[in-house]
Amino acid sequence: MGKKITVSVIKADVGGFVGHSSVHPALLEKARGMLSGSSLLIDSYVGYVGDDIDLIMTHEQGRNNGEVHQLAWDIFIACTEIARKLKLYGAGQDLLADAFSGNVKGMGPGVAEMEFEERKSEPIIVFMADKTEPGAWNLPLYKMFADPFNTAGLVIDPNMHDGFLFEVRDLIENKRITFACPEEIYDMLVFIGAPGRYCIKRIFHRQSGDIAAASSTQRLNLMAGRYVGKDDPVCIVRCQSGMPAVGEALEPFAQPHLVSGWMRGSHSGPLMPVSMEQATPSRFDGPPRVVALGFQLAEGKLIGPRDFFADPAFDPARQKANELANYLRTLGPFEPHRLHLDEMEYTTMPQVSKKLKDRFEKLR
């Protein structure tokens, strides 16, 4: 048995520049400085998408390590102080606690982590999204690991032919269930087709049992009991050699799908694949964005990144996303552009309902 490497991606929105559109360079500089000075880590990279800072870290401490999570928390606190001095919008909005308590889960920041033994070649992709929720990964992950029309390896690669195990979380009841695919695909789709409640958390290779993908499933409004911003999830996917090829992992984003989020987290919009440079949502605070950073791991070192969606091959996807955005915006406050009512409970909806409840007359 060789040593195991842990890849941790921890993100937070601690202040937008300007509005919710981007991250101020001073915050990124602070985060890079604090990560590079840490003896806990093998390597690190600071990414960003929209107004979110994404800390990509490799180490040998394992998942849910208190010291690694403490480091991320300290970085977000330090960046929040800078954000407040610069009067950035929503400074510290993802930090729901006053003090660190051993693990950032449940405290606001989004977390995706996986621990594994490095293969001879270990390509990974870190997906980072803004202006959407964790369920945004359901359709792409399903396509990557269960749809042969997307992933040819499920048919022609003997190392993938037996399929994958999908761990699905119920974010309302705080439960989990594992589906064996392909034979339980239809059962699984009943649940993951409702991404506001059921999210794919982890995926495992059926033959080896190795972790293949991990996502963040934190829902800020469920933790805070009020609307504090959309969750802006992250996801890690291992590629090649029994896992989807890099191109198969990227392919789902060639057709932008509709996700919840966008303006005030209360609208449906297309998930637009963009380079990190273009990850600056502005139109109606959107449309929602996704960035894909590729790394080769070498003894835990992050060789990269490759900014995959900078490729002009994704230009048609961006064009389609803009066309979908144009259509949805014409609907204004009407569903399905505005989210359905059970997703609106953290907006003005409860106050308006309370104010008008006595004016509703019972029909005889």
Side-chain angles (χ1 to χ4, degrees), residues 25-299:
L27 275 62
L28 297 173
E29 184 181 346
K30 182 68 173 178
R32 290 182 187 121
M34 291 181 71
L35 280 181
S36 63
S38 172
S39 59
L40 278 174
L41 307 178
I42 299 172
D43 204 358
S44 62
Y45 182 83
V46 178
Y48 60 92
V49 55
D51 51 4
D52 296 290
I53 299 173
D54 298 81
L55 309 178
I56 303 169
M57 302 170 283
T58 59
H59 52 88
E60 296 178 49
Q61 317 301 322
R63 293 168 55 232
N64 300 319
N65 178 267
E67 290 180 290
V68 172
H69 283 219
Q70 173 88 64
L71 173 62
W73 181 262
D74 291 345
I75 289 171
F76 294 140
I77 291 293
C79 288
T80 295
E81 290 174 8
I82 297 172
R84 288 192 172 125
K85 285 177 186 172
L86 298 176
K87 293 191 176 181
L88 299 185
Y89 192 77
Q93 77 165 31
D94 280 7
L95 308 183
L96 304 182
D98 295 325
F100 184 74
S101 59
N103 190 302
V104 295
K105 290 185 178 179
M107 299 177 70
V111 183
E113 295 182 293
M114 58 166 65
E115 184 183 22
F116 53 84
E117 212 174 297
E118 263 188 32
R119 298 169 291 171
K120 186 177 179 181
S121 181
E122 190 64 64
I124 65 168
I125 302 176
V126 176
F127 293 98
M128 312 180 302
D130 185 42
K131 304 296 182 282
T132 186
E133 64 183 7
W137 302 130
N138 282 10
L139 179 56
L141 286 174
Y142 169 76
K143 285 186 172 182
M144 286 177 216
F145 290 94
D147 181 4
F149 280 80
N150 180 91
T151 300
L154 293 166
V155 176
I156 62 177
D157 183 346
N159 292 323
M160 295 177 67
H161 197 73
D162 286 347
F164 293 85
L165 300 174
F166 288 71
E167 180 188 310
V168 175
R169 299 280 178 93
D170 179 341
L171 303 187
I172 305 298
E173 296 286 341
N174 199 26
K175 295 177 180 178
R176 68 180 175 187
I177 182 173
T178 298
F179 294 97
C181 294
E183 61 265 36
E184 292 187 310
I185 279 178
Y186 296 165
D187 290 343
M188 182 173 75
L189 285 170
V190 170
F191 297 96
I192 66 171
R197 175 165 181 171
Y198 298 97
C199 295
I200 298 170
K201 175 64 179 175
R202 294 193 293 171
I203 299 174
F204 297 90
H205 194 282
R206 283 183 74 169
Q207 286 179 328
S208 66
D210 288 346
I211 184 77
S215 73
S216 62
T217 53
Q218 286 72 27
R219 285 286 304 270
L220 281 170
N221 56 3
L222 297 180
M223 290 186 271
R226 66 187 191 282
Y227 179 69
V228 290
K230 220 52 181 169
D231 315 284
D232 308 330
V234 289
C235 181
I236 311 165
V237 175
R238 296 172 76 192
C239 298
Q240 311 291 156
S241 303
M243 309 292 184
V246 166
E248 290 170 333
L250 298 172
E251 181 65 11
F253 299 95
Q255 293 293 331
H257 65 292
L258 297 184
V259 297
S260 297
W262 208 346
M263 173 62 73
R264 295 187 181 87
S266 301
H267 295 79
S268 294
L271 188 61
M272 180 187 287
V274 294
S275 66
M276 202 154 55
E277 186 180 355
Q278 293 179 323
T280 51
S282 57
R283 184 188 177 185
F284 201 57
D285 278 357
R289 307 290 160 106
V290 58
V291 168
L293 298 184
F295 299 91
Q296 289 286 160
L297 285 187
E299 304 300 323

Side-chain angles (χ1 to χ4, degrees), residues 133 196 219 230 260 265 339-347:
E133 64 183 7
R219 285 286 304 270
K230 220 52 181 169
S260 297
L339 297 186
H340 40 84
L341 286 182
D342 62 350
E343 286 284 320
M344 298 291 288
E345 60 184 306
Y346 298 100
T347 65

